[in-house]
Structures are given as structure tokens and as C-alpha cells.
Amino acid sequence: MRPALSVATLRRRRIHWRLMNMSSLPGFRDFYPADMALRLHIVRTWREVARRYGFVEYDGPPLESLELYTRKSGEEIVGQLYAFTDQGGREVALRPEMTPTFARMVAARAAGLPKPIKWFSVPQLFRHERPQKGRLREHFQLNLDIVGETSVASDVEVVAAAIDVLREFGLGEEDFEVRYSDRRLISGILVELGVPETGLPGAFAALDKADRESSEWVLDRLAESGVPRGAATDVLALADVDLQELAHRFGGSSEVVDSLERLRRFQTQLEATGLGGFARFDVRLVRGLAYYTGLVFELWDRRGRFRAICGGGRYDDLLEAVGGPALPALGFGMGDVVLAELLRDRDLVPDLSVALDDFVVHVSEEQLPEALRIVHALRGRGRRVAFDYRSRGVARQFKVAHQAGAGRVIVVGPEEVERGECVVRTMATGEERRIGLAELLADSS
Ligand code: HAM
């Protein structure tokens, strides 16, 4: 048994608690009911669209071995890990992204799973970022991935799913766009410009920040990765170049030619889905994560007010890298933070308040047992029902019913109990009628 704490210790602790700042940690959110309603609306919509595309849901552990991320996620995310040594001496980390867990889970059972594998998940993720607009230290992220497909049609399917998710929230072509490119294209161009293969990961990380940092900063980082100054300036100047122009300028590289051909097919197929107007080729889009090998894409607010809403791409080597078979894969992650900001900005948050169906008023404590019978019979029929725990005055109970948005108030007094009846008031019209309890229950399914 633990020794009892002395009065002095208890007093010290109470003072300590009072002095402690009791708000949540920076970058972590409390979800009060209205915030929770929005989060649930977002997750419900994510699930609905993912299922419409034939994806099934999975989940994994929030804590993983540190090595899972240090091996493949890339420097930026590794620098943001919540990592520690657990009590068994294991090096562990809270998951900062879902893709390594997904790759690990699929790799472990790949042989027995019919292809293509189409899974989605809605994990809470943790990154020690500087909290700012659109970026927190925890967020929920829809992950939707396909394994076992190299087809352009699967590239289109994943991008179309991301677009349709946002359309389901009421966002349209005027609200957001998909920017896409291909990692092999930009690496082919960089190699043509004289960048060594070893400098490519650093060059990708620098280019990924081109829209947030000054061009001087990007040029310096590119130089550190072995990109000659002239070549780096050339890459940054490629901003608005289209596929044709790139074919003309870098047609000598088979990597460039192949990826341009694939991008052309991607464009044609995306047009066929009717979603072509949402997407724009942007050669400078590379994405920050290290594992992408082909198509890369991001969804951005067209008014330029927010950080990226969604990002993804093809990662054909990751499964093998985590010990599985060599299977191609692709997918995306879409966070709830920027999405919620965007929905608020465009006035697209619907009324999510959940009103009561019925409030059962009992005139005095004597009718409480009858009121309880009615309350539970109605709940048994699936209705949302509440009553007053303290048998307060009828006017007070009506006020509570009104505040809770009850559709009906059902009144039980001594007379009603005697006759096996109740009085039902429809709150919207004020209409009242006296009915038998059997009729009330028959009407309430
Ligand atoms: P990511 O670009 O790091 O990709 O994140 C995807 C999305 O998650 C971002 O576009 C953003 O909406 C949201 N997000 C990321 N970090 C934060 C943060 N600190 N606070 C709020 N929201 C955030 C990945 O995570 C890849 N694993 C996605 C993927 C899946 N690629 C293939 N499959």
C-alpha cells in the first residue's frame, strides 16, 4: 500500500495544480462538441467517398518503432518526430504519417491479399512542427492508397478520389486546384542539368519549399545538394513550362521522355473523368517526402490563402524497403486542419447541431416513474429523448426542452397517468393534442 500523503504535501500539490497552466499543449486541440461535430462531419464525408471508390478501412498503432521513419520518410519528418525510449528500452515514435505503417502492414501480408489492394484510414498523426495557420502538432488525415498497380488509370483514380472528396464538401473548380508532376521528370531534368544522383533528395527538399522560402534560400539549398548555380536558376525559371516545351528542351533524356508520355496519358484519362478542369501540370512540384518515385500531386486553395490541403503520389520502392515484396504503390494524405479552415472560409460548414426528438416533462416527482417508462420506450425506438432529473417546475422543463431544440414535448401529469395518456406538443407549431400511450409509441417509430 502507498503511504498516505501528509496534509502539507496535499496543500503543496493543490497550489501546484492551481498555478499550472491547464490549457492544452501548443499545437494540440480540445474538441468541444461543436468542434467535434465538424470533425465527425469531415471524417464521415471522407469515409463515404473512399467507400464509393471501393476502398476498405484499416488502422494501425499510433506508436511505431523509430526506425520505420528514419529509414524512409526523409529528413524533414524525422526532424519533427515525437520520439522517445520506452520503458523496455525500445526507440519508438508517435506516427507522424501513415504511409510507413501502411507499407509495413501490406508488406507483411502482401502474398495473400488480392491485388489491387485498395485501403483507406483516418489516423491521428503527430508532428513537432511550429504551430501556425494550417499546421498543428496533431491532425487527422485521410489516407487512401492502392498497392499492386502501375497503370496510369490508378494514378487517375487516386487523384479523382481526392478531388471528389473536396467536391463532396461543396467545393468546386473555383475553390481549389490539383497541381501535379512526376518525380522522374524533375530528376531527369536535374540530371540533364548536371546534378549528381546523390544530390537529388536534397534538391527535392529545397524545391518543395520554393513557394514558402525566398529564391535566394532555395538556390543556396540547391547549391548544397550539388546543383550548379546556373542549373538551379534554370530549374526555378521552369515555373510555367508545359509538357511540349519540356519535351523540346530535354528530349535527350529517356527518363524525361517516358515521364512526359505518362503525364500525357494521365491528362487524357483525367479529362475523360470530367475532372480535368481541376488539375494543372506544375513541373516544380516535387513533394517533400523522400519515398516518391513517380506521379506527385497536391491540392491547393485557388485563392492562395491556405497551406496545401492534400498531398500524395506514387512510391513504388517503399514496400520493398520495409522488408516486403517489390510492389508498386500510390496514394494521398488529406488533413483535417486546412480543410476545416477552407470550409469555414467558403461558408460550407453545414448546421451540425444535433437536436433532441422528444423531451418528456413530468408535472411532479410522483409522475417520474411513468415519465421514465415513456422515455425508455421512446429511446428503445431509436429516438433522442431527455427529461429533467430533478423534477423541476413545468415552465422550467419547457425552457430546457426549448434550449435543447426538442421537436416534441410530451407532458405527463397525474391525470394523464390515471388515464394512460399524455399531452404532445409539437414545438415548431405549438399544436397540442392528448393521445393514449399506445398511440404515442406507435407514432414514434
Ligand atoms: P504530407 O504532405 O506530409 O503527406 O501530408 C498530407 C496532408 O496532411 C497535408 O497536405 C496537410 O493537409 C496535412 N498535414 C500535414 N502535416 C500537418 C500538420 N502538421 N498539421 C495539420 N495538417 C497537416 C503525407 O503525410 C504522406 N504520407 C501522404 C501520402 C499517403 N502519400 C502517399 N500516401
Side-chain angles (χ1 to χ4, degrees), residues 265-335:
R265 285 193 286 139
F266 172 81
Q267 282 178 341
T268 310
Q269 291 185 25
L270 193 65
E271 284 295 335
T273 66
L275 299 172
F278 284 93
R280 178 168 70 84
F281 169 68
D282 178 355
V283 66
R284 292 186 317 169
L285 189 114
V286 292
R287 307 259 307 127
L289 290 157
Y291 46 65
Y292 293 115
T293 53
L295 173 79
V296 277
F297 67 94
E298 284 178 348
L299 272 60
W300 287 88
D301 159 39
R302 283 213 205 254
R303 297 187 197 163
R305 292 188 190 154
F306 303 99
R307 299 280 300 266
I309 309 159
C310 168
R314 184 168 274 288
Y315 47 98
D316 288 344
D317 303 332
L318 188 60
L319 266 85
E320 208 176 1
V322 296
L327 279 171
L330 77 157
F332 67 77
M334 179 188 292

Side-chain angles (χ1 to χ4, degrees), residues 145-376:
D145 293 81
I146 302 180
V147 173
E149 271 295 321
T150 52
S151 59
V152 173
S154 63
D155 290 2
V156 172
E157 179 87 330
V158 163
V159 171
I163 295 173
D164 270 343
V165 167
L166 292 196
R167 290 176 72 218
E168 191 67 18
F169 287 105
L171 294 158
E173 239 179 89
E174 66 289 358
D175 294 304
F176 73 96
E177 68 172 2
V178 182
R179 296 181 199 154
Y180 63 92
S181 185
D182 189 313
R183 267 274 173 99
R184 285 181 315 147
L185 173 67
I186 193 78
S187 57
I189 291 173
L190 289 169
V191 169
E192 283 286 289
L193 291 171
V195 178
E197 291 273 348
T198 50
L200 291 177
F204 294 151
L207 287 172
D208 182 52
K209 298 212 167 57
D211 57 346
R212 273 173 277 157
E213 304 285 350
S214 68
S215 17
E216 238 1 80
W217 184 94
V218 180
L219 290 172
D220 287 346
R221 298 291 87 69
L222 286 171
E224 283 166 15
S225 306
V227 184
R229 194 81 179 179
T233 317
D234 282 354
V235 173
L236 290 186
L238 289 175
D240 292 317
V241 179
D242 62 11
L243 299 187
Q244 221 171 348
E245 169 80 14
L246 287 172
H248 179 67
R249 284 176 60 181
F250 300 98
S253 152
S254 61
E255 208 175 10
V256 171
V257 171
D258 289 352
S259 47
L260 284 175
E261 172 50 25
R262 192 176 167 102
L263 283 168
R264 258 186 226 108
R265 285 193 286 139
F266 172 81
Q267 282 178 341
T268 310
Q269 291 185 25
L270 193 65
E271 284 295 335
T273 66
L275 299 172
F278 284 93
R280 178 168 70 84
F281 169 68
D282 178 355
V283 66
R284 292 186 317 169
L285 189 114
V286 292
R287 307 259 307 127
L289 290 157
Y291 46 65
Y292 293 115
T293 53
L295 173 79
V296 277
F297 67 94
E298 284 178 348
L299 272 60
W300 287 88
D301 159 39
R302 283 213 205 254
R303 297 187 197 163
R305 292 188 190 154
F306 303 99
R307 299 280 300 266
I309 309 159
C310 168
R314 184 168 274 288
Y315 47 98
D316 288 344
D317 303 332
L318 188 60
L319 266 85
E320 208 176 1
V322 296
L327 279 171
L330 77 157
F332 67 77
M334 179 188 292
D336 66 325
V337 180
V338 178
L339 181 56
E341 286 173 352
L342 184 62
L343 295 180
R344 284 197 194 95
D345 184 71
R346 305 295 206 272
D347 218 5
L348 285 172
V349 178
D351 178 10
L352 297 165
S353 51
V354 180
L356 284 179
D357 294 317
D358 300 321
F359 192 97
V360 178
V361 167
H362 56 292
V363 173
S364 74
E365 199 167 352
E366 269 162 55
Q367 291 86 49
L368 181 59
E370 185 63 4
L372 286 172
R373 255 189 294 282
I374 296 172
V375 164
H376 286 270

Side-chain angles (χ1 to χ4, degrees), residues 29 77 80 96-100 102 125-129 132 134-145 287-289 291-292 298-299 307-315 330-339:
R29 295 168 288 177
I77 257 191
Q80 296 169 342
E97 58 157 340
M98 196 60 175
T99 313
F102 171 72
L125 305 176
F126 305 89
R127 298 184 189 182
H128 196 273
E129 292 204 40
Q132 54 190 295
R135 287 294 177 268
L136 299 175
R137 290 181 171 169
E138 54 75 22
H139 70 282
F140 290 87
Q141 195 187 81
L142 166 66
N143 274 255
L144 184 147
D145 293 81
R287 307 259 307 127
L289 290 157
Y291 46 65
Y292 293 115
E298 284 178 348
L299 272 60
R307 299 280 300 266
I309 309 159
C310 168
R314 184 168 274 288
Y315 47 98
L330 77 157
F332 67 77
M334 179 188 292
D336 66 325
V337 180
V338 178
L339 181 56

Side-chain angles (χ1 to χ4, degrees), residues 361-440:
V361 167
H362 56 292
V363 173
S364 74
E365 199 167 352
E366 269 162 55
Q367 291 86 49
L368 181 59
E370 185 63 4
L372 286 172
R373 255 189 294 282
I374 296 172
V375 164
H376 286 270
L378 290 169
R379 285 178 182 163
R381 281 162 171 71
R383 296 179 70 79
R384 285 186 289 254
V385 189
F387 68 101
D388 188 43
Y389 303 138
R390 289 196 258 155
S391 308
R392 289 176 295 190
V394 169
R396 185 69 192 269
Q397 292 187 46
F398 262 91
K399 192 172 167 196
V400 175
H402 177 72
Q403 282 167 344
R408 298 190 305 187
V409 170
I410 294 153
V411 184
V412 204
E415 224 174 284
E416 284 76 25
V417 173
E418 206 168 297
R419 293 201 210 145
E421 290 176 348
C422 62
V423 173
V424 178
R425 178 191 281 203
T426 305
M427 295 297 269
T429 58
E431 180 213 341
E432 273 186 17
R433 58 190 187 115
R434 182 177 289 275
I435 58 170
L437 290 180
E439 193 188 339
L440 172 76

Side-chain angles (χ1 to χ4, degrees), residues 1-6:
M1 232 174 64
R2 282 199 200 161
L5 296 172
S6 72

